[in-house]
PDB file of all heavy atoms in Angstrom:
ATOM      1  N   SER A 230      18.857  18.834 -22.399  1.00 97.00           N
ATOM      2  CA  SER A 230      20.168  18.428 -21.855  1.00 97.00           C
ATOM      3  C   SER A 230      20.087  18.108 -20.369  1.00 97.00           C
ATOM      4  O   SER A 230      20.961  18.466 -19.574  1.00 97.00           O
ATOM      5  CB  SER A 230      21.221  19.521 -22.108  1.00 97.00           C
ATOM      6  OG  SER A 230      21.387  19.749 -23.489  1.00 97.00           O
ATOM      7  N   VAL A 231      19.031  17.402 -19.998  1.00 97.00           N
ATOM      8  CA  VAL A 231      18.826  16.992 -18.610  1.00 97.00           C
ATOM      9  C   VAL A 231      19.170  15.513 -18.457  1.00 97.00           C
ATOM     10  O   VAL A 231      18.707  14.686 -19.239  1.00 97.00           O
ATOM     11  CB  VAL A 231      17.371  17.234 -18.165  1.00 97.00           C
ATOM     12  CG1 VAL A 231      17.090  16.564 -16.827  1.00 97.00           C
ATOM     13  CG2 VAL A 231      17.084  18.724 -18.091  1.00 97.00           C
ATOM     14  N   LYS A 232      20.003  15.209 -17.473  1.00 94.00           N
ATOM     15  CA  LYS A 232      20.286  13.826 -17.100  1.00 94.00           C
ATOM     16  C   LYS A 232      20.170  13.711 -15.587  1.00 94.00           C
ATOM     17  O   LYS A 232      20.160  14.703 -14.868  1.00 94.00           O
ATOM     18  CB  LYS A 232      21.691  13.411 -17.545  1.00 94.00           C
ATOM     19  CG  LYS A 232      21.900  13.377 -19.040  1.00 94.00           C
ATOM     20  CD  LYS A 232      23.309  12.920 -19.389  1.00 94.00           C
ATOM     21  CE  LYS A 232      23.511  12.880 -20.893  1.00 94.00           C
ATOM     22  NZ  LYS A 232      24.894  12.477 -21.249  1.00 94.00           N
ATOM     23  N   ASP A 233      20.104  12.477 -15.102  1.00 95.00           N
ATOM     24  CA  ASP A 233      20.108  12.217 -13.653  1.00 95.00           C
ATOM     25  C   ASP A 233      19.032  13.020 -12.939  1.00 95.00           C
ATOM     26  O   ASP A 233      19.288  13.660 -11.918  1.00 95.00           O
ATOM     27  CB  ASP A 233      21.483  12.520 -13.058  1.00 95.00           C
ATOM     28  CG  ASP A 233      22.552  11.600 -13.610  1.00 95.00           C
ATOM     29  OD1 ASP A 233      22.479  10.389 -13.319  1.00 95.00           O
ATOM     30  OD2 ASP A 233      23.424  12.070 -14.347  1.00 95.00           O
ATOM     31  N   ALA A 234      17.831  12.990 -13.467  1.00 97.00           N
ATOM     32  CA  ALA A 234      16.729  13.737 -12.876  1.00 97.00           C
ATOM     33  C   ALA A 234      15.942  12.870 -11.905  1.00 97.00           C
ATOM     34  O   ALA A 234      15.980  11.633 -11.962  1.00 97.00           O
ATOM     35  CB  ALA A 234      15.797  14.250 -13.971  1.00 97.00           C
ATOM     36  N   VAL A 235      15.229  13.524 -11.010  1.00 98.00           N
ATOM     37  CA  VAL A 235      14.241  12.861 -10.164  1.00 98.00           C
ATOM     38  C   VAL A 235      12.924  12.902 -10.942  1.00 98.00           C
ATOM     39  O   VAL A 235      12.387  13.980 -11.204  1.00 98.00           O
ATOM     40  CB  VAL A 235      14.096  13.569  -8.806  1.00 98.00           C
ATOM     41  CG1 VAL A 235      13.053  12.852  -7.950  1.00 98.00           C
ATOM     42  CG2 VAL A 235      15.437  13.638  -8.088  1.00 98.00           C
ATOM     43  N   ILE A 236      12.414  11.734 -11.328  1.00 98.00           N
ATOM     44  CA  ILE A 236      11.218  11.670 -12.160  1.00 98.00           C
ATOM     45  C   ILE A 236      10.015  11.393 -11.270  1.00 98.00           C
ATOM     46  O   ILE A 236       9.958  10.376 -10.581  1.00 98.00           O
ATOM     47  CB  ILE A 236      11.325  10.567 -13.228  1.00 98.00           C
ATOM     48  CG1 ILE A 236      12.658  10.663 -13.978  1.00 98.00           C
ATOM     49  CG2 ILE A 236      10.142  10.649 -14.184  1.00 98.00           C
ATOM     50  CD1 ILE A 236      12.851  11.911 -14.790  1.00 98.00           C
ATOM     51  N   CYS A 237       9.066  12.313 -11.284  1.00 98.00           N
ATOM     52  CA  CYS A 237       7.849  12.199 -10.481  1.00 98.00           C
ATOM     53  C   CYS A 237       6.667  12.019 -11.419  1.00 98.00           C
ATOM     54  O   CYS A 237       6.291  12.958 -12.128  1.00 98.00           O
ATOM     55  CB  CYS A 237       7.677  13.445  -9.614  1.00 98.00           C
ATOM     56  SG  CYS A 237       6.214  13.410  -8.561  1.00 98.00           S
ATOM     57  N   GLY A 238       6.093  10.824 -11.440  1.00 98.00           N
ATOM     58  CA  GLY A 238       4.995  10.533 -12.342  1.00 98.00           C
ATOM     59  C   GLY A 238       3.759  10.110 -11.586  1.00 98.00           C
ATOM     60  O   GLY A 238       3.837   9.343 -10.622  1.00 98.00           O
ATOM     61  N   LEU A 239       2.604  10.611 -12.037  1.00 98.00           N
ATOM     62  CA  LEU A 239       1.320  10.300 -11.420  1.00 98.00           C
ATOM     63  C   LEU A 239       0.516   9.396 -12.337  1.00 98.00           C
ATOM     64  O   LEU A 239       0.303   9.725 -13.522  1.00 98.00           O
ATOM     65  CB  LEU A 239       0.553  11.597 -11.154  1.00 98.00           C
ATOM     66  CG  LEU A 239      -0.887  11.468 -10.641  1.00 98.00           C
ATOM     67  CD1 LEU A 239      -0.912  10.895  -9.235  1.00 98.00           C
ATOM     68  CD2 LEU A 239      -1.591  12.819 -10.668  1.00 98.00           C
ATOM     69  N   SER A 240       0.058   8.250 -11.844  1.00 98.00           N
ATOM     70  CA  SER A 240      -0.794   7.329 -12.591  1.00 98.00           C
ATOM     71  C   SER A 240      -0.091   6.875 -13.861  1.00 98.00           C
ATOM     72  O   SER A 240       0.979   6.271 -13.786  1.00 98.00           O
ATOM     73  CB  SER A 240      -2.152   7.976 -12.859  1.00 98.00           C
ATOM     74  OG  SER A 240      -3.095   7.017 -13.250  1.00 98.00           O
ATOM     75  N   VAL A 241      -0.615   7.186 -15.054  1.00 98.00           N
ATOM     76  CA  VAL A 241       0.108   6.788 -16.267  1.00 98.00           C
ATOM     77  C   VAL A 241       1.484   7.454 -16.303  1.00 98.00           C
ATOM     78  O   VAL A 241       2.445   6.880 -16.836  1.00 98.00           O
ATOM     79  CB  VAL A 241      -0.700   7.106 -17.545  1.00 98.00           C
ATOM     80  CG1 VAL A 241      -0.842   8.587 -17.784  1.00 98.00           C
ATOM     81  CG2 VAL A 241      -0.071   6.435 -18.757  1.00 98.00           C
TER      82      VAL A 241
END
Side-chain angles (χ1 to χ4, degrees):
S230 299
V231 169
K232 295 181 180 178
D233 296 293
V235 180
I236 311 295
C237 181
L239 174 68
S240 196
V241 68

